[in-house]
Short mmCIF file of all heavy atoms in Angstrom, two decimals:
data_model
loop_
_atom_site.label_atom_id
_atom_site.label_comp_id
_atom_site.label_asym_id
_atom_site.label_seq_id
_atom_site.Cartn_x
_atom_site.Cartn_y
_atom_site.Cartn_z
N HIS A 310 -29.17 2.48 -2.34
CA HIS A 310 -29.96 3.21 -1.33
C HIS A 310 -29.91 2.60 0.08
O HIS A 310 -30.67 3.03 0.94
CB HIS A 310 -31.42 3.37 -1.76
CG HIS A 310 -31.57 3.87 -3.16
ND1 HIS A 310 -31.03 5.07 -3.56
CD2 HIS A 310 -32.15 3.31 -4.25
CE1 HIS A 310 -31.28 5.24 -4.85
NE2 HIS A 310 -31.95 4.18 -5.30
N VAL A 311 -29.09 1.61 0.32
CA VAL A 311 -28.98 1.08 1.69
C VAL A 311 -27.89 1.87 2.42
O VAL A 311 -26.72 1.79 2.04
CB VAL A 311 -28.61 -0.43 1.70
CG1 VAL A 311 -28.46 -0.92 3.14
CG2 VAL A 311 -29.66 -1.23 0.94
N PRO A 312 -28.25 2.64 3.45
CA PRO A 312 -27.21 3.40 4.15
C PRO A 312 -26.34 2.50 5.03
O PRO A 312 -26.85 1.60 5.70
CB PRO A 312 -28.00 4.38 5.02
CG PRO A 312 -29.35 3.79 5.15
CD PRO A 312 -29.59 2.88 3.98
N ILE A 313 -25.07 2.75 4.97
CA ILE A 313 -24.12 1.97 5.77
C ILE A 313 -23.37 2.94 6.66
O ILE A 313 -22.78 3.91 6.18
CB ILE A 313 -23.16 1.20 4.86
CG1 ILE A 313 -23.97 0.22 4.00
CG2 ILE A 313 -22.10 0.44 5.68
CD1 ILE A 313 -23.19 -0.45 2.90
N TYR A 314 -23.45 2.68 7.96
CA TYR A 314 -22.84 3.59 8.93
C TYR A 314 -21.62 2.93 9.55
O TYR A 314 -21.66 1.77 9.95
CB TYR A 314 -23.85 3.93 10.03
CG TYR A 314 -25.04 4.68 9.50
CD1 TYR A 314 -26.18 4.01 9.08
CD2 TYR A 314 -25.00 6.06 9.37
CE1 TYR A 314 -27.27 4.68 8.56
CE2 TYR A 314 -26.09 6.75 8.85
CZ TYR A 314 -27.22 6.06 8.45
OH TYR A 314 -28.28 6.75 7.92
N ILE A 315 -20.55 3.70 9.61
CA ILE A 315 -19.33 3.23 10.27
C ILE A 315 -19.01 4.23 11.38
O ILE A 315 -19.07 5.45 11.16
CB ILE A 315 -18.15 3.14 9.28
CG1 ILE A 315 -18.43 2.04 8.24
CG2 ILE A 315 -16.84 2.84 10.02
CD1 ILE A 315 -17.32 1.88 7.20
N ARG A 316 -18.69 3.70 12.55
CA ARG A 316 -18.35 4.59 13.67
C ARG A 316 -17.15 3.99 14.40
O ARG A 316 -17.16 2.81 14.76
CB ARG A 316 -19.56 4.65 14.60
CG ARG A 316 -19.41 5.50 15.81
CD ARG A 316 -20.69 5.53 16.62
NE ARG A 316 -21.17 4.21 16.99
CZ ARG A 316 -21.96 3.94 18.04
NH1 ARG A 316 -22.39 4.94 18.78
NH2 ARG A 316 -22.35 2.72 18.30
N VAL A 317 -16.12 4.79 14.56
CA VAL A 317 -14.94 4.31 15.28
C VAL A 317 -14.51 5.39 16.26
O VAL A 317 -14.74 6.57 16.02
CB VAL A 317 -13.75 4.01 14.33
CG1 VAL A 317 -14.14 3.07 13.22
CG2 VAL A 317 -13.14 5.28 13.76
N GLY A 318 -13.89 4.98 17.35
CA GLY A 318 -13.42 6.01 18.26
C GLY A 318 -12.58 5.47 19.39
O GLY A 318 -12.68 4.31 19.78
N LYS A 319 -11.73 6.36 19.88
CA LYS A 319 -10.92 6.09 21.07
C LYS A 319 -11.65 6.70 22.27
O LYS A 319 -12.42 7.66 22.13
CB LYS A 319 -9.55 6.76 20.96
CG LYS A 319 -8.75 6.35 19.73
CD LYS A 319 -7.85 5.18 19.99
CE LYS A 319 -6.99 4.84 18.80
NZ LYS A 319 -6.50 3.46 18.81
N MET A 320 -11.38 6.18 23.44
CA MET A 320 -11.96 6.68 24.70
C MET A 320 -13.49 6.60 24.69
O MET A 320 -14.17 7.51 25.17
CB MET A 320 -11.54 8.14 24.96
CG MET A 320 -10.12 8.27 25.44
SD MET A 320 -9.96 7.57 27.11
CE MET A 320 -8.44 8.30 27.62
N LEU A 321 -14.01 5.54 24.13
CA LEU A 321 -15.46 5.31 24.17
C LEU A 321 -15.76 4.43 25.39
O LEU A 321 -14.83 3.99 26.08
CB LEU A 321 -15.92 4.67 22.85
CG LEU A 321 -15.64 5.49 21.58
CD1 LEU A 321 -16.34 4.87 20.37
CD2 LEU A 321 -16.06 6.95 21.70
N PRO A 322 -17.00 4.13 25.67
CA PRO A 322 -17.29 3.40 26.92
C PRO A 322 -16.78 1.97 26.97
O PRO A 322 -16.59 1.42 28.05
CB PRO A 322 -18.83 3.42 26.98
CG PRO A 322 -19.23 4.59 26.14
CD PRO A 322 -18.21 4.67 25.05
N VAL A 323 -16.60 1.31 25.83
CA VAL A 323 -16.18 -0.10 25.83
C VAL A 323 -15.15 -0.33 24.73
O VAL A 323 -14.97 0.52 23.85
CB VAL A 323 -17.37 -1.07 25.57
CG1 VAL A 323 -18.43 -0.95 26.63
CG2 VAL A 323 -17.97 -0.86 24.19
N THR A 324 -14.51 -1.50 24.78
CA THR A 324 -13.67 -1.93 23.67
C THR A 324 -14.39 -3.09 23.00
O THR A 324 -14.51 -4.18 23.58
CB THR A 324 -12.29 -2.38 24.17
OG1 THR A 324 -11.64 -1.23 24.75
CG2 THR A 324 -11.42 -2.89 23.02
N ALA A 325 -14.91 -2.86 21.83
CA ALA A 325 -15.65 -3.91 21.12
C ALA A 325 -15.85 -3.49 19.67
O ALA A 325 -16.00 -2.30 19.37
CB ALA A 325 -17.01 -4.14 21.76
N THR A 326 -15.83 -4.46 18.78
CA THR A 326 -16.15 -4.19 17.38
C THR A 326 -17.35 -5.06 17.00
O THR A 326 -17.34 -6.27 17.23
CB THR A 326 -14.95 -4.51 16.48
OG1 THR A 326 -13.86 -3.68 16.88
CG2 THR A 326 -15.26 -4.24 15.01
N GLU A 327 -18.35 -4.41 16.45
CA GLU A 327 -19.59 -5.12 16.17
C GLU A 327 -20.23 -4.64 14.88
O GLU A 327 -20.16 -3.46 14.55
CB GLU A 327 -20.59 -4.88 17.32
CG GLU A 327 -21.08 -6.16 17.92
CD GLU A 327 -22.01 -5.94 19.10
OE1 GLU A 327 -23.04 -5.26 18.95
OE2 GLU A 327 -21.68 -6.46 20.17
N VAL A 328 -20.83 -5.57 14.17
CA VAL A 328 -21.58 -5.24 12.95
C VAL A 328 -23.05 -5.51 13.24
O VAL A 328 -23.39 -6.54 13.82
CB VAL A 328 -21.13 -6.19 11.81
CG1 VAL A 328 -22.03 -6.01 10.60
CG2 VAL A 328 -19.67 -5.96 11.45
N MET A 329 -23.91 -4.57 12.85
CA MET A 329 -25.36 -4.79 12.97
C MET A 329 -25.97 -4.65 11.59
O MET A 329 -25.85 -3.60 10.96
CB MET A 329 -26.00 -3.72 13.86
CG MET A 329 -25.72 -3.87 15.31
SD MET A 329 -26.58 -5.27 16.06
CE MET A 329 -28.26 -4.75 15.98
N VAL A 330 -26.63 -5.70 11.15
CA VAL A 330 -27.33 -5.65 9.87
C VAL A 330 -28.83 -5.60 10.21
O VAL A 330 -29.35 -6.53 10.82
CB VAL A 330 -27.01 -6.90 9.03
CG1 VAL A 330 -27.80 -6.90 7.73
CG2 VAL A 330 -25.51 -6.98 8.76
N HIS A 331 -29.47 -4.52 9.84
CA HIS A 331 -30.90 -4.37 10.17
C HIS A 331 -31.76 -4.81 8.99
O HIS A 331 -31.56 -4.34 7.86
CB HIS A 331 -31.22 -2.91 10.48
CG HIS A 331 -30.69 -2.48 11.81
ND1 HIS A 331 -31.25 -2.88 13.00
CD2 HIS A 331 -29.64 -1.72 12.15
CE1 HIS A 331 -30.56 -2.37 14.01
NE2 HIS A 331 -29.58 -1.66 13.51
N PHE A 332 -32.70 -5.67 9.28
CA PHE A 332 -33.63 -6.10 8.22
C PHE A 332 -34.85 -5.17 8.18
O PHE A 332 -35.20 -4.54 9.19
CB PHE A 332 -34.07 -7.55 8.47
CG PHE A 332 -32.93 -8.52 8.30
CD1 PHE A 332 -32.33 -9.12 9.39
CD2 PHE A 332 -32.42 -8.79 7.04
CE1 PHE A 332 -31.25 -9.98 9.24
CE2 PHE A 332 -31.34 -9.65 6.87
CZ PHE A 332 -30.76 -10.24 7.98
N ARG A 333 -35.45 -5.12 7.02
CA ARG A 333 -36.62 -4.25 6.87
C ARG A 333 -37.78 -4.74 7.72
O ARG A 333 -37.88 -5.93 8.02
CB ARG A 333 -37.07 -4.22 5.41
CG ARG A 333 -36.09 -3.49 4.52
CD ARG A 333 -36.68 -3.15 3.17
NE ARG A 333 -35.64 -2.57 2.35
CZ ARG A 333 -35.16 -1.33 2.49
NH1 ARG A 333 -35.69 -0.52 3.40
NH2 ARG A 333 -34.19 -0.89 1.72
N ARG A 334 -38.67 -3.80 8.05
CA ARG A 334 -39.88 -4.17 8.79
C ARG A 334 -40.80 -4.97 7.88
O ARG A 334 -40.73 -4.87 6.66
CB ARG A 334 -40.60 -2.91 9.22
CG ARG A 334 -39.76 -2.03 10.10
CD ARG A 334 -40.57 -0.86 10.54
NE ARG A 334 -41.90 -1.36 10.92
CZ ARG A 334 -42.94 -0.58 11.16
NH1 ARG A 334 -42.83 0.72 11.08
NH2 ARG A 334 -44.10 -1.08 11.50
N PRO A 335 -41.71 -5.73 8.47
CA PRO A 335 -42.71 -6.41 7.64
C PRO A 335 -43.48 -5.36 6.81
O PRO A 335 -43.63 -4.22 7.26
CB PRO A 335 -43.65 -7.07 8.66
CG PRO A 335 -42.93 -7.03 9.96
CD PRO A 335 -41.91 -5.94 9.89
N PRO A 336 -43.95 -5.73 5.63
CA PRO A 336 -44.57 -4.72 4.76
C PRO A 336 -45.89 -4.15 5.30
O PRO A 336 -46.31 -3.07 4.90
CB PRO A 336 -44.80 -5.49 3.46
CG PRO A 336 -44.69 -6.94 3.80
CD PRO A 336 -43.83 -7.04 5.00
N ARG A 337 -46.56 -4.87 6.20
CA ARG A 337 -47.76 -4.30 6.84
C ARG A 337 -47.89 -4.88 8.24
O ARG A 337 -47.32 -5.95 8.53
CB ARG A 337 -49.01 -4.57 6.01
CG ARG A 337 -49.37 -6.04 5.88
CD ARG A 337 -50.67 -6.24 5.11
NE ARG A 337 -51.83 -5.87 5.90
CZ ARG A 337 -52.52 -6.72 6.70
NH1 ARG A 337 -52.15 -7.98 6.81
NH2 ARG A 337 -53.57 -6.31 7.38
N GLU A 338 -48.66 -4.18 9.06
CA GLU A 338 -48.84 -4.69 10.42
C GLU A 338 -49.93 -5.77 10.39
O GLU A 338 -51.02 -5.55 9.89
CB GLU A 338 -49.26 -3.56 11.38
CG GLU A 338 -48.28 -2.41 11.42
CD GLU A 338 -46.85 -2.83 11.71
OE1 GLU A 338 -46.64 -3.84 12.40
OE2 GLU A 338 -45.92 -2.14 11.24
N THR A 339 -49.62 -6.93 10.92
CA THR A 339 -50.56 -8.04 10.91
C THR A 339 -51.22 -8.18 12.28
O THR A 339 -52.33 -8.68 12.40
CB THR A 339 -49.80 -9.33 10.56
OG1 THR A 339 -49.07 -9.10 9.37
CG2 THR A 339 -50.74 -10.50 10.33
N PHE A 340 -50.52 -7.70 13.30
CA PHE A 340 -51.00 -7.95 14.67
C PHE A 340 -51.37 -6.63 15.34
O PHE A 340 -51.37 -5.58 14.71
CB PHE A 340 -49.94 -8.74 15.44
CG PHE A 340 -49.56 -10.01 14.72
CD1 PHE A 340 -48.30 -10.14 14.13
CD2 PHE A 340 -50.47 -11.03 14.58
CE1 PHE A 340 -47.97 -11.29 13.45
CE2 PHE A 340 -50.14 -12.19 13.89
CZ PHE A 340 -48.89 -12.32 13.31
N GLU A 341 -51.61 -6.72 16.66
CA GLU A 341 -52.11 -5.53 17.37
C GLU A 341 -50.96 -4.64 17.82
O GLU A 341 -51.01 -4.09 18.91
CB GLU A 341 -52.88 -5.99 18.63
CG GLU A 341 -53.90 -7.05 18.41
CD GLU A 341 -54.19 -7.77 19.74
OE1 GLU A 341 -54.31 -7.10 20.78
OE2 GLU A 341 -54.26 -9.00 19.71
N GLU A 342 -49.93 -4.58 17.07
CA GLU A 342 -48.78 -3.79 17.50
C GLU A 342 -48.03 -3.27 16.29
O GLU A 342 -48.20 -3.78 15.18
CB GLU A 342 -47.83 -4.65 18.34
CG GLU A 342 -47.26 -5.80 17.51
CD GLU A 342 -46.16 -6.58 18.21
OE1 GLU A 342 -45.75 -6.22 19.31
OE2 GLU A 342 -45.69 -7.55 17.58
N LEU A 343 -47.26 -2.27 16.54
CA LEU A 343 -46.38 -1.76 15.50
C LEU A 343 -45.02 -2.40 15.74
O LEU A 343 -44.38 -2.14 16.76
CB LEU A 343 -46.29 -0.24 15.68
CG LEU A 343 -45.75 0.57 14.51
CD1 LEU A 343 -46.68 0.47 13.32
CD2 LEU A 343 -45.61 2.03 14.96
N VAL A 344 -44.60 -3.25 14.83
CA VAL A 344 -43.29 -3.90 15.01
C VAL A 344 -42.22 -2.81 14.91
O VAL A 344 -42.18 -2.07 13.92
CB VAL A 344 -43.06 -4.99 13.94
CG1 VAL A 344 -41.63 -5.52 14.01
CG2 VAL A 344 -44.06 -6.12 14.11
N PRO A 345 -41.38 -2.67 15.94
CA PRO A 345 -40.39 -1.59 15.89
C PRO A 345 -39.43 -1.75 14.71
O PRO A 345 -39.12 -2.87 14.31
CB PRO A 345 -39.62 -1.74 17.21
CG PRO A 345 -40.41 -2.69 18.05
CD PRO A 345 -41.28 -3.48 17.15
N ALA A 346 -39.01 -0.62 14.20
CA ALA A 346 -38.09 -0.65 13.04
C ALA A 346 -36.80 -1.37 13.40
O ALA A 346 -36.12 -1.90 12.53
CB ALA A 346 -37.79 0.77 12.58
N SER A 347 -36.47 -1.39 14.69
CA SER A 347 -35.20 -2.02 15.09
C SER A 347 -35.32 -3.54 15.22
O SER A 347 -34.34 -4.22 15.47
CB SER A 347 -34.73 -1.43 16.43
OG SER A 347 -35.76 -1.61 17.38
#
Side-chain angles (χ1 to χ4, degrees):
H310 312 302
V311 178
I313 298 171
Y314 296 91
I315 294 180
R316 180 178 55 156
V317 306
K319 303 268 184 202
M320 285 292 198
L321 300 189
V323 299
T324 297
T326 300
E327 236 177 57
V328 172
M329 287 289 292
V330 176
H331 287 287
F332 293 106
R333 290 195 185 285
R334 301 183 43 191
R337 64 177 286 270
E338 303 307 331
T339 308
F340 305 110
E341 311 158 42
E342 63 171 357
L343 196 65
V344 173
S347 56

